[in-house]
Amino acid sequence: MRRIPFLLMALLVICASASAAPVALFYMTDSPESIRSFLAHSSKIDLLVPTWYQVDENGLVTGGPNPTVLDVAHGENLSVEPIVALFNKKKFHTLATSVDAQNLMNEALLREAKLHGYVGFQFDLENVDYLDRDNLSALVAHTAEALHKAGLQISIATVPNAPGYPGAGGFAKWIYTDWRGAYDLAALSKSVDLICLMTYDQQTRWTMPGPVAGWQWTLDNLDYALKVVPQDKLSLGIPLYGYHWYTGAPIEDKATGEYKPNQSADYISTPDALQLASAYGGKPEWDAFDHTEFLWFYRDQMREWIFYTDVHTFKDRYQLTVDRGLEGFCSWVLGSEDPGIWDLLPERGAKK
C-alpha cells in the first residue's frame, strides 16, 4: 500500500511535465519599439535573446548590453542570452579556419558573460557557404566546449533546410548554397543546448508574395529537424512580423538608359500592416491552407500585398510546439507583434 502514494506522485510529476508550457524565447533588437515591447511584457518571456554582439573574421567581438534592459532582466531573474552574429561568407570562412581567431572570440564571450551575468550566447551565423558545413559544426563545437566548461549555455539559430538538398530552379540552388546548406543539424545538436529553427522568411523581398512561414513548409522543416534533433533541444521559430509587397519605381541602367522592373518588398510589423489596411481599404483574410493572415489593397491603381502574423497565426504555431513536445518557441522580433499574443502566454512564474 505504501507504493500507491509514490506512484501517484510520480504520475503527477509526469503529467505536470507533459503539460508544461513551451519556453518562450523572444528576440529583441535595439529599436525603441523592440525595447518598449520587452519592458511591457517581460513577465511573459522566459529567455531574452537580444542582438547585442557581432564577431568579425579575426574573432573580434564587438557590442554590449542595453543597461535598462539588463537591469530589468536581472531584477526579474530573467535569463539573457545575447546573439553573436556574423553574416558574410568570406569572413565566416576566415573565422572558421583560424583556431586563434576562435580562441579570441571565445575569450571575449567568457569575459562578457562574467561582466554582465549572461546565461550564455546564441550564434546567429548566416549567409554561410554550404561548403563550410563541417567548418561551421567544428566552430560551434569549439565554442560550446569553452562555454560549457564555464557553466554557460550555447544555442544556435539555424536556417530551415528541408529536404537537405537544392531543388531544380535557380532560386532553389542559390537559397541552398548561400543560406540553407551549411547547417548539419545532427552535428550541431550534439554540441549545443538548443537549436532555434528559424521557420520564417519562406517568402521575402527576394520572392513573390506569400506567407512568411507557410504551414506545410513549417511542418516539413520541423519534421526534418526532428529526425536528428531531440525534442528538448528544439525551439520552433514563430515570426511576429510580415512582408509588404508593392511595385517600386523602375530601375534605370545608367550605362544603357534602359529600365528594369522593380517588384519590391519591405519588412512590416503587424500594427503597421493593419494601419495600411485601414488607410487603403484592405480587408484581412485568413489563408486556411497556410494558417496565416494576409490582406491586399490598391494604391495608385496597383495592388499591394501583405502577409503577416496575427494572433491566430501565432496561436496555431504555438500549439504546434505543444503538440510536438518541443522545448519551446523562438520569436523574431519584439516590437512587431500583434498585441493579442500576450493574452495567450502565461506569466513566467505560472510555469513553475
Side-chain angles (χ1 to χ4, degrees):
M1 293 296 292
R2 292 180 181 180
R3 295 178 59 192
I4 294 178
F6 174 80
L7 291 174
L8 287 175
M9 183 177 294
L11 182 61
L12 288 172
V13 169
I14 293 172
C15 291
S17 175
S19 61
V23 174
L25 184 160
F26 283 89
Y27 294 101
M28 187 198 74
T29 68
D30 286 329
S31 75
E33 295 83 4
S34 197
I35 293 171
R36 281 195 295 267
S37 179
F38 165 73
L39 296 175
H41 307 291
S42 60
S43 65
K44 296 197 172 185
I45 297 171
D46 297 312
L47 179 58
L48 180 68
V49 180
T51 58
W52 284 344
Y53 292 93
Q54 305 80 40
V55 63
D56 70 8
E57 69 272 30
N58 301 311
L60 180 65
V61 174
T62 56
N66 178 294
T68 298
V69 170
L70 195 61
D71 287 346
V72 169
H74 286 337
E76 297 182 3
N77 293 318
L78 169 59
S79 297
V80 180
E81 188 175 289
I83 274 178
V84 181
L86 176 59
F87 288 31
N88 184 286
K89 286 191 287 291
K90 292 182 179 180
K91 291 183 178 181
F92 174 80
H93 181 77
T94 300
L95 175 65
T97 53
S98 170
V99 174
D100 288 342
Q102 292 174 46
N103 286 338
L104 180 65
M105 172 183 69
N106 293 343
E107 290 171 5
L109 298 184
L110 294 173
R111 179 196 69 225
E112 292 297 301
K114 184 177 181 179
L115 280 173
H116 304 298
Y118 304 143
V119 298
F121 290 92
Q122 179 170 124
F123 272 137
D124 189 8
L125 306 170
E126 301 184 47
N127 193 20
V128 176
D129 193 291
Y130 78 111
L131 296 175
D132 269 326
R133 178 184 175 98
D134 291 343
N135 286 331
L136 173 60
S137 298
L139 179 150
V140 171
H142 186 193
T143 299
E145 182 180 11
L147 294 186
H148 285 153
K149 282 182 178 178
L152 299 171
Q153 299 174 11
I154 182 171
S155 60
I156 184 171
T158 64
V159 178
N161 53 4
Y165 51 84
F171 181 84
K173 178 182 178 181
W174 171 77
I175 201 71
Y176 178 81
T177 60
D178 286 33
W179 293 94
R180 295 177 180 170
Y183 303 96
D184 184 341
L185 295 178
L188 292 170
S189 68
K190 293 176 182 177
S191 300
V192 302
D193 301 290
L194 183 68
I195 287 180
C196 289
L197 189 66
M198 295 186 288
T199 35
Y200 37 79
D201 270 11
Q202 179 187 13
Q203 265 77 225
T204 66
R205 63 188 181 90
W206 296 98
T207 71
M208 298 292 287
V212 178
W215 187 248
Q216 190 60 51
W217 179 81
T218 299
L219 293 178
D220 290 346
N221 278 286
L222 176 57
D223 290 340
Y224 181 76
L226 284 173
K227 291 179 181 178
V228 294
V229 181
Q231 292 166 293
D232 61 357
K233 278 193 172 186
L234 190 62
S235 181
L236 182 70
I238 304 180
L240 301 179
Y241 62 95
Y243 280 100
H244 170 209
W245 285 266
Y246 57 93
T247 305
I251 300 173
E252 182 182 7
D253 185 324
K254 299 299 183 181
T256 65
E258 296 181 354
Y259 287 86
K260 296 182 179 180
N262 182 21
Q263 177 180 299
S264 301
D266 291 330
Y267 173 97
I268 193 170
S269 69
T270 294
D272 287 352
L274 296 177
Q275 190 279 327
L276 279 176
S278 176
Y280 293 99
K283 296 181 179 180
E285 300 181 45
W286 178 249
D287 183 332
F289 180 81
D290 274 315
H291 294 230
T292 193
E293 195 82 354
F294 73 99
L295 59 89
W296 55 267
F297 55 86
Y298 278 94
R299 178 163 51 176
D300 294 332
Q301 301 179 345
M302 302 300 294
R303 180 177 284 204
E304 302 183 18
W305 293 88
I306 299 177
F307 284 79
Y308 63 101
T309 303
D310 71 336
V311 66
H312 189 176
T313 307
F314 180 91
K315 183 179 181 180
D316 283 3
R317 285 150 183 80
Y318 178 84
Q319 187 60 45
L320 183 59
T321 69
V322 175
D323 294 342
R324 295 299 182 90
L326 304 182
E327 183 271 352
F329 67 89
C330 46
S331 276
W332 182 274
V333 59
L334 287 171
S336 61
E337 72 273 10
D338 182 332
I341 71 165
W342 300 111
D343 295 331
L344 295 174
L345 300 178
E347 295 285 334
R348 189 166 54 253
K351 298 181 181 183
K352 298 177 181 179

